[in-house]
Amino acid sequence: MSKFVPEKEHLQHVLLFLFNQKKKAVESHRVLVETYGEHAPSIRTCETWFRQFKSGDFNVKDSERSGRPQKCENEQLEVLLEDDPTQTQQQLAKALNVSQETISRRLRVMGKINKLGKWVPHDLSERQMENRKVTCEMLLQRHERRSFLYLIVTGDEKWIYIENPKEKKSWLSPGEAGPSTPRPNRFGKKTRAVLCLVGPERYCVL
């Protein structure tokens, strides 16, 4: 596999070529992904450039122009962040050909902060997310036609130790140690309690 990593301006020239080929932004994004993989721009970036081309502006250079307002510079930074919000300040500065201090200042003005994401059980594919969206829309439409919440059965379960000693509080003098309580044997006997909820109010414990 080729190790060629396309420059940003190269990708913009390719987008202009595909635009002149009467391709749509979505179709052009698919071609770039098939060709350049993870180095391809996002679909939103492709749509932004196609809007510029449709307006008659075919300039694909990102060099700063004299008299250009700061807002436009922030828009360029916003496009980069939408494409990949995990980029470092050094990477953003190199892409825009400015200093890291300039990037840091612009990020503060834009109200951007750098924070860690959260762990999730697993990463959903595009098809799984679409299936969940369709299912939610169907349930919402069904609920609007006729409420079905009273038909929903949900439940939960919890394992409970048969021998479940409890810690007790004692009135003691300062410095006096309280009575010790051994922890439950995690290998000991236990039973399972199941809670069933039928509708918004009725429930039972099994």
Side-chain angles (χ1 to χ4, degrees), residues 13-157:
H13 279 287
V14 175
L15 283 173
L16 179 58
F17 171 79
L18 294 172
F19 175 82
N20 289 325
Q21 290 290 316
K22 308 301 182 183
K23 304 292 185 182
K24 300 292 185 180
V26 175
E27 185 180 1
S28 300
H29 174 258
R30 179 180 56 79
V31 172
L32 290 175
V33 171
E34 291 176 353
T35 306
Y36 300 110
E38 62 180 5
H39 302 296
S42 66
I43 178 63
R44 190 165 182 177
T45 301
C46 295
E47 292 173 347
T48 299
W49 280 103
F50 267 58
R51 284 195 297 269
Q52 175 181 319
F53 298 153
K54 288 180 181 179
S55 68
D57 184 2
F58 301 106
N59 180 27
V60 296
K61 294 184 179 295
D62 287 331
S63 57
E64 307 212 3
R65 305 173 185 174
S66 59
R68 200 169 190 178
Q70 184 70 21
K71 180 180 178 181
C72 186
E73 296 176 352
N74 290 342
E75 288 178 352
Q76 293 175 353
L77 180 57
E78 188 71 34
V79 170
L80 290 177
L81 293 176
E82 290 174 355
D83 190 21
D84 182 8
T86 64
Q87 297 181 81
T88 64
Q89 292 187 14
Q90 292 88 343
Q91 291 172 324
L92 294 170
K94 183 178 180 181
L96 293 177
N97 195 27
V98 295
S99 65
Q100 181 180 344
E101 291 75 12
T102 301
I103 294 296
S104 178
R105 184 172 59 255
R106 292 185 192 173
L107 291 173
R108 288 197 301 270
V109 171
M110 295 167 63
K112 300 292 184 180
I113 58 175
N114 189 252
K115 61 180 180 179
L116 292 173
K118 61 180 180 179
W119 291 103
V120 293
H122 56 274
D123 192 16
L124 296 177
S125 64
E126 292 290 339
R127 183 174 182 180
Q128 289 173 327
M129 289 189 289
E130 184 64 27
N131 288 339
R132 293 192 177 195
K133 176 184 176 182
V134 172
T135 301
C136 291
E137 291 176 345
M138 292 174 59
L139 291 174
L140 180 59
Q141 293 174 359
R142 180 181 174 186
H143 176 66
E144 291 174 348
R145 291 195 302 268
R146 180 181 178 183
S147 176
F148 63 94
L149 294 178
Y150 67 95
L151 297 176
I152 295 179
V153 178
T154 58
D156 196 6
E157 64 179 29

Side-chain angles (χ1 to χ4, degrees), residues 161-168 179-189:
Y161 290 101
I162 295 178
E163 296 181 2
N164 192 24
K166 296 183 179 180
E167 290 183 307
K168 296 181 179 179
S180 60
T181 304
R183 291 182 178 275
N185 181 11
R186 62 191 183 96
F187 299 107
K189 294 182 178 181

